[in-house]
Amino acid sequence: MIGASLGAAAYERASEISAILAVANPVDDRRLARLSSRPDVVLALSGIGISFGGVKALSDVDLEVEVGEIRAVIGPNGAGKSSLINIISGLYHADRGRIAIDGQSFSQVPASRLARLGVARTFQNLALFGGLSVRNNIACGRVHTRRASFVEHIAGLPRARSEDAGIAEKTDQIVAFLHLESVADRLVATLPYGLQKRVELARALVAEPKLLLLDEPMAGMTATEKAEMAGFVRAARDRHGVTIILIEHDIGVVMGLSDRVAVLDYGRKIADGTPAEVRADPAVIRAYIGTAEGENGEDIR
Amino acid sequence: MAVQALDGTRVPIDWQRLAMPAVLIVVGYGLIPAYASSYLVEAILLPFLALSLAAVGLNLLTGYCGQLSLGSSAFMAVGAFAAYNFNLRIDGLPLPATMILAGISAAGIGVVFGLPSLRLRGFYLAVSTLAAQFFVQWALTKFGWFSNYNPSGVISAPHLIVAGFPLDGATGRYLLSVTTVIVLTAVVWRLVNSATGRNFIAVRDNETAARVIGVPVLRTKLLAFAISSFIIGVAGVLWAFTYLRTVEPAGFNLDRSFQILFIIIIGGLASMRGAFLGAAFIVVFPLLLSRIGAFAFGDLFDSGVLDMSQRIVLGALIIIFLIAEPSGLSALFDRLKRRIG
Ligand SMILES: Nc1ncnc2c1ncn2[C@@H]1O[C@H](COP(=O)(O)OP(=O)(O)OP(=O)(O)O)[C@@H](O)[C@H]1O
Ligand SMILES: [Mg+2]
């Protein structure tokens, strides 16, 4: 399903990956681990399944993400997109399947170690710290790099101060990168929705993750805001080289922004390929026509 | 006017920022010790200082870290009884060391009763902190050792001496109290404005997001319980040693826990100033009410009526504050200042 644009070598590698991912026994897990430890695969999911009560939110989903790509995951409401991101970030525990992040294989990703594994994320519904300023919200994104204890902070000892200074500098860079200077010292809760979404992106980017998970970063935005946000997402990849998984309902944005697109429907992956391939895929067209077409402006053509 | 900074540049002195502490020092260490009547000190300032400190401690846990606790009074009791025993059983232990050890004891108990916070939230956590309330009171009453086998479980304050200066008089106790409160408030102020304090707020505002970005959520909650209980424990020492002078376990009952919670609600959650405004209100309000009541109703306004009307007015005020001004007196104060300035 991988496009010719990736070249024959890439195609071979990709089919090798999916052949390995399709089966799940200990030997193959080890092969999966070896494969995913290759520097060009940041994330590999194999046979992921999760259900809530009777609802199968995901069944047997495979996905592999290469370094530096923008990998879109699309699908109708309730298709399981957020569940997938929640499994990758350790907030949900998959019933079946394995997750390999940057060469380390897990059946359950430890959420508390996520940042140190090089993964950052944003949430579909805003998850900011309302009582902190924009700058402090962003600075929190680097908390995983801190070592100084609370005593060092209270006493203002050198290690605490140098950590603060280093983080302040990184925060300033991200504030400038995302054009947040004019609101940097405001309480985040007082910002309009579109800007809050941007602060959440900033908090994720300041961690300098290898892999960035964006769950509908443009939902509820105006067309201008969306275009702006799309520009930031692309710039984050181009300038900082971060690999991105992007969930988005606006098909126009997705097609313009992503290198490859995976399509989920009722918890199954029904298509995976370049935007052009996915757009032409009959199964995808059926899935989108089957659900009220254009509901979220998600006209596939 | 300007001062020479270390790198040779001249920085203007920020008079606004220096004004508040300067006024506090002049009033706190100059005017009050010199002119305040012993009634003002004994009946108003000493309880105000002890309750303010307890509120600063609870505010750290509830206001900043979002962990609702009804165990404050228990941690005060642990502080008071620990200080009594350290003082009694270790010869020549300096008073500041006694107070620190008492705080550490309260912190230890606080961490134990903070463990449920790793699983429980909000109302359920509050109910589980009630366990601390009942357990501590029970243990202090049940085991005579804690009160050195005093038949009614009462402990009395020892002689208060710091660096050779006796502080048993009203002014001495006031100075001990105000110094303790200033030092610990400064520590908490530094804490809440540090990265650790921001971790507290992150856990309060969005625990899931906090965990995902790498805030050590469990450690942060237990740290909040520890530091908060330390502060409240020392407040208990002040309550017992400088204000009441003799206390029994029953003095640290659930009513006191609620009182401290009401202080931070009325004063303003997550506001340092709020703890003091709220405490001032809670201490002064009953006195005002009894004056007003006696003036308006004469002898009809006896202590029973006073107690009842106090509860009714306080209850109503808390409901009003929760609905109309959740940020408490501190926010009212800010608005007033903006209108004037
Ligand atoms: N925590 C949960 N508890 C119960 N059911 C859940 C939970 N999370 C997801 N689900 C269910 O799993 C299915 C997939 O949900 P998910 O949120 O992953 O979809 P989605 O593709 O992100 O949808 P949307 O586009 O609306 O965000 C839905 O039927 C949803 O109700
Ligand atoms: Mg979703």
Side-chain angles (χ1 to χ4, degrees), chain B residues 34-50:
Chain B
Y35 298 111
S37 70
S38 78
Y39 171 79
L40 180 66
V41 170
E42 300 264 8
I44 296 180
L45 290 175
L46 288 175
F48 161 73
L49 286 167

Side-chain angles (χ1 to χ4, degrees), chain A residues 52 55-57 75-84 86 92 124 215-216 247 249 264:
Chain A
F52 299 100
V55 182
K56 275 195 170 176
N77 290 109
K81 307 179 295 295
S82 295
S83 301
L84 193 72
N86 285 338
Y92 289 178
Q124 181 166 352
D215 195 346
E216 305 200 13
I247 295 181
H249 274 297
L264 293 180

Side-chain angles (χ1 to χ4, degrees), chain B residues 102 144 263:
Chain B
I263 288 176

Side-chain angles (χ1 to χ4, degrees), chain A residues 89 91 111-112 114-115 121 123 126-132 136 140-141 143-144 146 149-150 153-156 164 203, chain B residues 186-188 190-191 194-199 201-216 223 227:
Chain A
S89 50
L91 296 180
S112 53
L114 194 70
R121 67 166 291 173
F123 292 79
L126 288 169
L128 289 165
F129 309 127
L132 291 177
N136 283 337
C140 279
V143 66
H144 67 286
R146 288 187 184 271
S149 68
F150 76 98
H153 282 296
I154 292 172
D164 283 347
R203 187 181 65 191
Chain B
V187 166
V188 172
R190 298 242 347 147
L191 180 78
S194 75
T196 308
R198 292 196 288 274
N199 281 354
I201 295 176
V203 167
R204 175 195 74 190
D205 286 352
N206 199 313
E207 196 176 316
T208 305
R211 183 150 45 110
V212 163
I213 63 174
V215 174
L223 184 66
I227 302 177

